[in-house]
Amino acid sequence: MALSLGALLAFAGGAAADTAKADGDVLTSAIEATANLGPVAPGEIRTVDIGIVLTCTGTSHMDPGQTITAGIDSAVAPEGGAVLSVTDATLGPVPSDWPAESAICPSPAPTLSGGTPSVVTLQAPMTPGTGYKYSLMYHRAFDPFGLNDGTAIRQATVMDIYLDVVINTPPTLTLPAVASGGPVEANATGGWTADWTGLGATDAEDVPAPTPGCDPAAGTLMTLGTNPVTCSVTDGGGLSDSGTFDLTVQDTTAPTLTGMPGDRSLTTDDPTGTTLTYRAPGATDIADADPMVGCRPASGSHIGLGTTKVTCTATDGSGNSASASFDVSVTYVAPHSASAVWGEPVAGSGTVFSANRGRNVPIKVELSIDGTIRTSGDARLRVTPCAGGDALTMALSFGGGRWNASLDTATLVGACHTVAASINGLQAGSFRLDLRGVEPLKANGQPASTSAQPTKPTKTKP
């Protein structure tokens, strides 16, 4: 519509007075004498707001507190069109700082705007054409009480409204390429990022063509499964076109295993095999942030001699899986063995050596590992009561081509003990020690010479 001011709401009388202008665009600060609202469709009903702006003019002024009301006098519509309704416009109250009567307006002249606009409802003709004109005459309501110091008389202004009637055709929507392309493959965690390539629109009247859009919007994450999509476009005349389709997002891509262990070779002294330990691999997947990973045999399992294939499988939330494997070879290696050759006085006693209680028994032993005599290492002697109880452990020292220790039997509890020698943690050999009686003591506390050997140790043949 085009709106123009045909006249001013001017105060009649001998003196120049404040004027009121109709404003065709109440949303801007300037007083718009015309306003073009664009083309309309045949028979379309449109509305336009017309405001009133009071401007200080001359020396005859409105009094503070007064309110201006502008009503319709007459309305003329073009052939085929109609003015359906017009409401009154109001402005005010006039502010207290408005120039007083007879005062000269300051520069720039003050104005008063706002208030309630006049709402004009029009119907366009059915026949296409340009420059259709609607003429409206407004007047300021008569002031019978002389609130404007006798200068308030009937005032009028003419508003001309113009419009063009055009035939508007709806736009044509082109749906995105994926609308008819079948399922799309997931490309992000949880689904597919919406890409509406191919979405477009054409329109016979709009240049450029209107821009279409879809819901969900481009860039939205579409979840796995079926997702409804609606696309639409609206042209400048308010006509639209739309289309819907279901988009299926699928995940058929298997995950990828990461950090797979390589083949391994192990040795064991256990003829049944060994315990398998390894660090399980991880997995990545396009659509699943945390795919499941499992391996068989699992780390911590006991595996036998020979070659065992370990297979690891990663599975994503859509059931896609990927597998990889590595081999573990286990070879049996016989354990180390140790042996002991006892020297005098134990030598030749077989498995039992007898001594009087309280005697210091010299221990002399030759220790070997895998048939090789050892002259160094961790050699120990362990004395354990046959009936159970605390064991005595003592170190063996090497000298004179053998390992030596002095076993004080006075500290032993009980008559029967097992004496065992070890080298580097390997048990080498043992004998049983039987204690009998107590040797008599001299005055100085040493065993009497007559009883130091009351009975010769009994030597048992092997």
Side-chain angles (χ1 to χ4, degrees):
M1 291 182 184
L3 182 65
S4 65
L5 177 63
L8 301 178
L9 287 175
F11 290 98
D18 292 340
T19 60
K21 291 184 178 181
D23 184 11
D25 188 351
V26 297
L27 299 179
T28 62
S29 58
I31 301 175
E32 300 290 341
T34 62
N36 191 341
L37 302 182
V40 300
E44 183 178 351
I45 296 177
R46 300 290 294 270
T47 61
V48 58
D49 291 343
I50 298 176
I52 301 296
V53 179
L54 179 68
T55 303
C56 180
T57 307
T59 58
S60 182
H61 307 300
M62 299 286 292
D63 289 337
Q66 284 189 290
T67 299
I68 300 173
T69 300
I72 189 69
D73 253 352
S74 62
V76 178
E79 182 178 359
V83 178
L84 301 180
S85 64
V86 182
T87 64
D88 290 346
T90 60
L91 180 66
V94 175
S96 59
D97 59 351
W98 196 257
E101 184 69 15
S102 301
I104 298 175
C105 296
S107 180
T111 61
L112 176 63
S113 60
T116 302
S118 169
V119 180
V120 180
T121 304
L122 306 175
Q123 184 171 23
M126 295 299 297
T127 303
T130 59
Y132 283 105
K133 178 181 178 181
Y134 297 76
S135 294
L136 305 176
M137 177 175 286
Y138 287 90
H139 67 266
R140 179 170 178 259
F142 179 64
D143 182 6
F145 300 105
L147 297 178
N148 197 33
D149 299 330
T151 61
I153 63 172
R154 192 173 186 84
Q155 305 157 15
T157 183
V158 175
M159 298 297 300
D160 292 333
I161 302 173
Y162 295 91
L163 58 83
D164 298 332
V165 176
V166 297
I167 297 177
N168 184 35
T169 57
T172 300
L173 175 70
T174 302
L175 290 175
V178 294
S180 58
V184 295
E185 185 70 14
N187 62 3
T189 300
W192 178 76
T193 303
D195 179 4
W196 305 137
T197 299
L199 176 67
T202 58
D203 188 81
E205 292 77 33
D206 287 15
V207 179
T211 302
C214 292
D215 182 22
T220 302
L221 180 66
M222 311 287 283
T223 58
L224 295 175
T226 302
N227 299 265
V229 181
T230 299
C231 301
S232 62
V233 62
T234 301
D235 66 12
L239 300 181
S240 62
D241 187 19
S242 64
T244 61
F245 61 95
D246 288 334
L247 178 69
T248 300
V249 180
Q250 65 182 11
D251 173 23
T252 62
T253 304
T256 300
L257 284 161
T258 60
M260 272 295 295
D263 294 343
R264 300 171 62 184
S265 295
L266 305 176
T267 59
T268 179
D269 59 4
D270 184 349
T272 67
T274 189
T275 299
L276 173 65
T277 59
Y278 58 88
R279 185 173 183 176
T284 59
D285 187 76
I286 294 175
D288 188 347
D290 189 22
M292 295 176 55
V293 179
C295 298
R296 293 291 181 272
S299 180
S301 301
H302 187 84
I303 60 175
L305 303 178
T307 300
T308 298
K309 184 177 291 294
V310 180
T311 301
C312 298
T313 302
T315 306
D316 63 20
S318 299
N320 304 305
S321 62
S323 298
S325 60
F326 62 96
D327 292 334
V328 179
S329 298
V330 180
T331 303
Y332 174 75
V333 177
H336 297 292
S337 63
S339 60
V341 178
W342 302 99
E344 292 292 341
V346 177
S349 64
T351 59
V352 180
F353 176 75
S354 297
N356 291 332
R357 181 180 298 278
R359 179 183 175 185
N360 283 328
V361 180
I363 302 297
K364 305 169 186 177
V365 62
E366 181 182 272
L367 300 176
S368 300
I369 296 179
D370 295 337
T372 301
I373 296 176
R374 293 301 181 97
T375 61
S376 62
D378 181 15
R380 296 178 179 272
L381 196 69
R382 183 177 180 85
V383 183
T384 307
C386 296
D390 294 336
L392 170 66
T393 301
M394 55 194 305
L396 293 169
S397 60
F398 188 81
R402 62 199 175 193
W403 295 91
N404 304 282
S406 179
L407 176 59
D408 184 3
T409 62
T411 62
L412 302 179
V413 178
C416 176
H417 296 79
T418 299
V419 181
S422 65
I423 177 71
N424 293 344
L426 298 173
Q427 295 299 317
S430 64
F431 64 90
R432 194 181 83 189
L433 172 64
D434 287 343
L435 299 178
R436 53 177 183 259
V438 178
E439 293 186 356
L441 300 178
K442 296 179 180 180
N444 60 6
Q446 296 298 321
S449 60
T450 57
S451 58
Q453 292 290 338
T455 305
K456 290 184 177 180
T458 299
K459 299 180 179 179
T460 304
K461 294 183 178 179

